[in-house]
Amino acid sequence: MIFYSKYKPLLEMDSGKYNVFVLTGGRGSLKTGHACRALLLDMMKAKRRCVVFREVMSTIEQSLYTEFVSLINGEFSGRGFRFDRSKIYHKNGSELFFSGLSDQSPKSREKIKGLADVDRLMVDEAQTISDGVLGVLLKTVRKKGAVMLFVYNRIAANLPVEKQLFIDYEHCKAPPKTYFAEINYPEIRHLNLLSDFFLERAALIEKNKPDEYARDYLNQPKGLNLNKVVKYWGMENISEALRYCEDLPLHLCMDFNVDPMMWVCAHKSRDKLFVFDEIVLENTSTQDAVAEFLNRYGRHKAKIILNGDASGDYRKTQSKYTDYAIVKNALIKQGLLAEGQIRRFNPSVSNRIKAFNSLVLGDDGVRRVLVHPCCKWLIYNMENLRYKPGTSLLDLPSHQMLKNDNEAKFLGHIFDALSYAAEFYWPLLVK
C-alpha cells in the first residue's frame, strides 16, 4: 500500500498528536482514498465507532460507501471486514456508518447532536457544508480521544469549513493539534497512481477551461465566479440564426409553477439543443399556458415531445388529470402528434446542473446549447442563477426578495424546465 508522505500522519490517529485532520486539494490528489484507507486501518487497531458524512445523503450511493466497499474487496480483503447495505464492520467490533448533514430542519440538527458517542468522524466534500451545520457538529464531538477528518476542494476563498476550524490557508497555519495539508495531483504524479485517462482529461480541461482547471485540479479558486450555477455561459451560446422549423420535432420543456409558468420550445440534434422560444406567463394555469403554446405553434407538422419535471406527471388534488395529461390532451384535440419523454423520478439537482453545464461548454471546448435572444428570461437565468455561498444549494429568492424585486420570481423555474431535458437526453455517465 503506497501512502504519500503528506498523508502519513493519518496513520497515527490514535497517537493523540492530532485530533483534527484537514486535507484539501484538487482532483487527483487522492485525499479521499488516503483518508478512507487510514480510517479502515484505524478500525483494525481497536474497536471504533465511526461515521462518514456528506452534506446530503438520500441514498447510500450518495456517500463514500462504494469507495469503502471497493477497498474492502481489494487491498483490505481478508483483513476481517464485512459490510451490508448500511454499514461497514470489522471482526473486532468496529463499525462505520454513513449519514447526511443538512441545516434544512431542526430534526437534522438533532440527528447530529445524537452522534456524541463516536470515535472517528469524517466529513467528505466539506466545502459544501454550511456554517450553521458545521458549528453544531463541532459542538457535538465530546468523546475523549475522538478524531475528526475534513476532506475538501477549495472552491472559494472563504469557506465555512476553514472559518469553523480556524484554518489560515494563505499562511498554511492551523490551531494546535490540527494537521492541515494541501496536496494537488502534480506533486503525486510521480507515484504512477493516476490513470492516463485522468492525466489526458486534466490536460484537455487546462487547455479549454483554464479557470476550472485552476479551481478543480490545482485548488485555486481565482478568476471565476464560483457561485454561478451555469459556469461558462457566454455570448457564444446566444444565436440570432436559430429558427423554428415546423417539420422538425418540437421539444416543449415545462415547469408547472403557477406564478410564473415558464416553458421553453426547442429542437435538438444528436448532440445539441436549440432553444428558439419561451413561454412565460404570470398568475396562470396549465390550461392557459397550453392555449398560448397552441396560439403560437398550433399548426406544427411534426411530433411535439413533452419534457420536464417528473412531478408534473402526478395527479393534483384540484384536478383529476396530471399537468402532462392536460397538455397532451389539448395538443391531441388540436390534431397534433404528442408524446411525453420524462423520467419517472427527477434526477438529483447536482446531476441535472452538471449535465446542463456540459452542454453549455463541453470539455472539448464545444458549445452544445444555443438560445435565441428572444428568450429573455432563460438568458436572465443563465446569467443570474447562483448557489448559496459555500454550498451546493440554489440561492432562490426569499419571500422578502420577491416583495422587493419583481424580477426575482423569474429565477429558477425556466432553468429547471430546460435542464430536465438536458439531463434526460445527455445524462452524466458514471465512470
Side-chain angles (χ1 to χ4, degrees):
M1 181 187 301
I2 298 176
F3 227 82
Y4 184 51
S5 58
K6 283 189 179 180
Y7 294 117
K8 285 188 177 178
L10 288 169
L11 300 176
E12 300 177 356
M13 269 188 246
D14 57 343
S15 69
K17 184 177 180 180
Y18 301 109
N19 53 32
V20 176
F21 291 85
V22 183
L23 308 175
T24 186
R27 290 177 183 169
S29 62
L30 306 181
K31 56 189 181 297
T32 302
H34 277 79
C36 292
R37 287 177 175 85
L39 206 52
L40 290 175
L41 289 168
D42 187 70
M43 289 172 67
M44 294 170 60
K45 293 180 179 179
K47 183 178 179 180
R48 314 281 194 209
R49 187 165 183 254
C50 311
V51 59
V52 176
F53 291 112
R54 274 189 178 175
E55 180 192 21
V56 176
M57 195 197 80
S58 301
T59 64
I60 193 72
E61 285 75 17
Q62 291 177 307
S63 69
L64 286 177
Y65 174 82
T66 302
E67 179 116 16
F68 278 97
V69 168
S70 177
L71 287 169
I72 290 169
N73 287 333
E75 54 200 82
F76 282 83
S77 178
R79 297 196 182 188
F81 287 97
R82 63 182 179 87
F83 54 87
D84 57 26
R85 286 291 297 164
S86 62
K87 289 184 180 181
I88 307 293
Y89 307 88
H90 190 261
K91 63 182 181 181
N92 67 7
S94 291
E95 291 185 351
L96 184 153
F97 63 99
F98 305 85
S99 185
L101 288 167
S102 174
D103 61 352
Q104 298 301 300
S105 70
K107 286 185 179 179
S108 51
R109 293 197 177 201
E110 289 303 317
K111 182 179 180 181
I112 297 173
K113 292 176 183 178
L115 296 171
D117 189 34
V118 173
D119 301 292
R120 306 288 185 258
L121 300 92
M122 176 177 170
V123 181
D124 184 44
E125 295 186 357
Q127 72 273 11
T128 66
I129 311 301
S130 71
D131 194 287
V133 165
L134 283 169
V136 173
L137 179 63
L138 292 168
K139 292 174 185 176
T140 301
V141 183
R142 304 186 187 96
K143 188 172 183 180
K144 186 176 180 180
V147 174
M148 301 191 73
L149 291 78
F150 294 85
V151 179
Y152 69 100
N153 184 335
R154 203 164 187 270
I155 62 170
N158 298 297
L159 291 173
V161 63
E162 292 180 350
K163 172 187 171 184
Q164 288 285 349
L165 297 175
F166 303 102
I167 300 297
D168 181 353
Y169 175 83
E170 294 300 323
H171 300 95
C172 285
K173 291 183 179 180
K177 304 199 78 173
T178 294
Y179 178 76
F180 173 64
E182 180 182 28
I183 302 95
N184 291 299
Y185 88 90
E187 70 178 277
I188 61 172
R189 190 170 182 166
H190 67 282
L191 298 177
N192 294 319
L193 297 175
L194 299 171
S195 68
D196 290 338
F197 173 82
F198 172 87
L199 296 172
E200 290 164 3
R201 184 174 177 82
L204 193 63
I205 292 180
E206 181 181 14
K207 177 182 178 181
N208 292 295
K209 299 180 177 180
D211 285 334
E212 182 175 316
Y213 174 78
R215 180 196 64 184
D216 290 350
Y217 289 82
L218 301 182
N219 215 35
Q220 298 172 0
K222 297 177 181 178
L224 183 66
N225 188 336
L226 297 170
N227 288 335
K228 284 192 70 174
V229 171
V230 186
K231 302 293 186 186
Y232 291 96
W233 177 264
M235 293 302 296
E236 302 92 335
N237 294 103
I238 302 174
S239 174
E240 292 187 6
L242 295 182
R243 294 291 182 269
Y244 158 64
C245 300
E246 62 180 11
D247 297 319
L248 291 178
L250 189 162
H251 290 261
L252 182 55
C253 310
M254 296 172 285
D255 179 87
F256 294 104
N257 189 60
V258 173
D259 185 27
M261 185 85 69
M262 307 185 82
W263 298 358
V264 296
C265 303
H267 298 307
K268 68 176 283 291
S269 64
R270 180 184 60 82
D271 64 344
K272 292 183 180 179
L273 193 57
F274 309 95
V275 183
F276 57 83
D277 199 7
E278 65 183 14
I279 296 173
V280 178
L281 301 174
E282 298 179 71
N283 295 307
T284 191
S285 66
T286 302
Q287 291 89 339
D288 291 336
V290 74
E292 176 60 27
F293 173 81
L294 290 172
N295 183 53
R296 301 185 196 184
Y297 303 105
R299 296 184 179 181
H300 189 68
K301 295 180 179 179
K303 185 179 294 184
I304 296 172
I305 300 170
L306 309 180
N307 303 122
D309 186 354
S311 63
D313 211 20
Y314 306 151
R315 210 175 82 182
K316 308 295 194 299
T317 56
Q318 65 269 31
S319 172
K320 63 180 180 179
Y321 298 109
T322 69
D323 285 308
Y324 284 111
I326 291 171
V327 175
K328 189 174 181 180
N329 290 341
L331 298 179
I332 293 173
K333 187 176 180 180
Q334 183 78 6
L336 301 171
L337 297 173
E339 70 173 51
Q341 293 185 7
I342 56 175
R343 295 202 181 281
R344 290 186 61 193
F345 302 99
N346 284 329
S348 69
V349 174
S350 62
N351 278 2
R352 180 157 51 86
I353 291 172
K354 289 174 184 176
F356 186 80
N357 271 319
S358 71
L359 295 182
V360 171
L361 180 63
D363 292 340
D364 55 3
V366 177
R367 297 181 185 270
R368 294 183 171 85
V369 58
L370 298 174
V371 177
H372 193 278
C374 73
C375 300
K376 168 187 173 181
W377 292 114
L378 180 59
I379 294 172
Y380 171 79
N381 272 255
M382 300 299 103
E383 296 173 345
N384 292 284
L385 200 56
R386 299 285 192 275
Y387 291 112
K388 292 180 180 179
T391 79
S392 60
L393 304 174
L394 296 185
D395 193 5
L396 299 177
S398 64
H399 178 70
Q400 187 61 41
M401 285 176 61
L402 292 174
K403 288 173 62 178
N404 298 332
D405 181 4
N406 187 56
E407 290 191 349
K409 73 178 183 179
F410 297 97
L411 203 57
H413 302 296
I414 199 166
F415 172 77
D416 290 342
L418 188 58
S419 60
Y420 281 120
E423 195 281 334
F424 183 90
Y425 295 110
W426 298 281
L428 294 174
L429 298 178
V430 178
K431 292 183 172 68

